[in-house]
Amino acid sequence: GENVEQHPSTLSVQEGDSAVIKCTYSDSASNYFPWYKQELGKRPQLIIDIRSNVGEKKDQRIAVTLNKTAKHFSLHITETQPEDSAVYFCAAITTGSARQLTFGSGTQLTVLP
Amino acid sequence: DAGVIQSPRHEVTEMGQEVTLRCKPISGHDYLFWYRQTMMRGLELLIYFNNNVPIDDSGMPEDRFSAKMPNASFSTLKIQPSEPRDSAVYFCASSVQGPDNSPLHFGNGTRLTVT
């Protein structure tokens, strides 16, 4: 099955700086890669996703890049703000008869004021 | 749209007791997922349904766990008998289409503590 590894597990940045979270996946046939944000005590919520037919996608301060050859994708947050503090999960879709999302282990991002 | 509704929000029970978690997906969503979240193992998919039919239950830990979806608006996850290692936050999620075509909408979760 799919194996998704996520790094780093914790990340602290100063407000206004950029944050980068990286994930690798094992299934070369995976074609969908969403990112979820989970604030403390809340539910995970989708913030951005990318499909394998594009290499980069942006939404305001958030961007995701995908390198299919190397089987890795990254989340970039620019001009970080305190409200960006949360746990971020990457995910990849497994292929096969029962397609399902496999999540990375999460990154605790702390934006220091 | 009230979102995915889970109950109860918190459940504290003693080892050996039966626990039933409930979920109401968003109306019109054909897929329903049960996830378990722990510090050690992160977010794990337990089982998911498409049009009320279980598609993949390979994530269900063992026979003590069972899930049903009797209709499009209701699902249950049952643990019998419960054990301390079952303590976790259990999330239900739903989506319009499959997990590679539409985002998962998570409920607020049920925090289960088994003593």
Side-chain angles (χ1 to χ4, degrees), chain B residues 28-82:
Chain B
H29 283 197
D30 290 338
Y31 287 77
L32 183 139
F33 307 81
W34 282 100
Y35 280 89
R36 178 172 68 177
Q37 185 174 37
T38 61
M39 288 294 292
M40 291 298 295
R41 301 176 67 90
L43 270 167
E44 301 174 277
L45 178 67
L46 300 177
I47 186 172
Y48 80 92
F49 297 82
N50 178 21
N51 290 322
N52 313 338
V53 176
I55 300 302
D56 184 356
D57 65 354
S58 59
M60 295 288 263
E62 48 199 90
D63 292 346
R64 297 186 297 108
F65 285 67
S66 62
K68 293 183 180 180
M69 192 165 186
N71 56 63
S73 59
F74 184 64
S75 177
T76 60
L77 178 67
K78 186 176 294 186
I79 308 172
Q80 167 63 20
S82 58

Side-chain angles (χ1 to χ4, degrees), chain A residues 2-6 34-39 42-46 87-92 94 100-107, chain B residues 6 33-47 59-61 87-93 104-111:
Chain A
E2 179 74 277
N3 183 38
V4 178
E5 295 192 358
Q6 184 170 347
W35 286 86
Y36 284 77
K37 174 184 180 182
Q38 186 178 24
E39 297 177 2
K42 302 284 185 65
R43 58 190 168 182
Q45 292 188 288
L46 179 74
V87 178
Y88 291 81
F89 293 94
C90 63
T94 59
Q100 57 171 275
L101 275 179
T102 297
F103 284 86
S105 54
T107 296
Chain B
Q6 290 186 247
F33 307 81
W34 282 100
Y35 280 89
R36 178 172 68 177
Q37 185 174 37
T38 61
M39 288 294 292
M40 291 298 295
R41 301 176 67 90
L43 270 167
E44 301 174 277
L45 178 67
L46 300 177
I47 186 172
M60 295 288 263
S87 298
V89 179
Y90 291 81
F91 284 103
C92 176
L104 269 60
H105 297 261
F106 285 84
N108 287 323
T110 294
R111 181 174 295 277

Side-chain angles (χ1 to χ4, degrees), chain A:
Chain A
E2 179 74 277
N3 183 38
V4 178
E5 295 192 358
Q6 184 170 347
H7 301 279
S9 57
T10 60
L11 178 61
S12 293
V13 298
Q14 290 295 135
E15 183 176 356
D17 287 350
S18 295
V20 180
I21 303 169
K22 300 181 179 181
C23 288
T24 60
Y25 60 97
S26 59
D27 186 345
S28 58
S30 291
N31 60 1
Y32 177 63
F33 309 92
W35 286 86
Y36 284 77
K37 174 184 180 182
Q38 186 178 24
E39 297 177 2
L40 186 63
K42 302 284 185 65
R43 58 190 168 182
Q45 292 188 288
L46 179 74
I47 55 172
I48 194 167
D49 57 13
I50 190 168
R51 298 190 182 276
S52 58
N53 57 345
V54 297
E56 183 176 0
K57 183 176 179 181
K58 274 188 176 181
D59 183 2
Q60 300 182 340
R61 297 186 297 108
I62 294 174
V64 58
T65 58
L66 171 65
N67 183 327
K68 285 208 68 181
T69 302
K71 290 190 285 186
H72 70 70
F73 55 113
S74 301
L75 178 71
H76 305 253
I77 306 174
T78 59
E79 301 172 27
T80 53
Q81 302 168 2
E83 53 264 38
D84 294 330
S85 295
V87 178
Y88 291 81
F89 293 94
C90 63
I93 197 77
T94 59
T95 56
S97 58
R99 297 173 70 78
Q100 57 171 275
L101 275 179
T102 297
F103 284 86
S105 54
T107 296
Q108 171 69 63
L109 173 65
T110 303
V111 180
L112 304 169

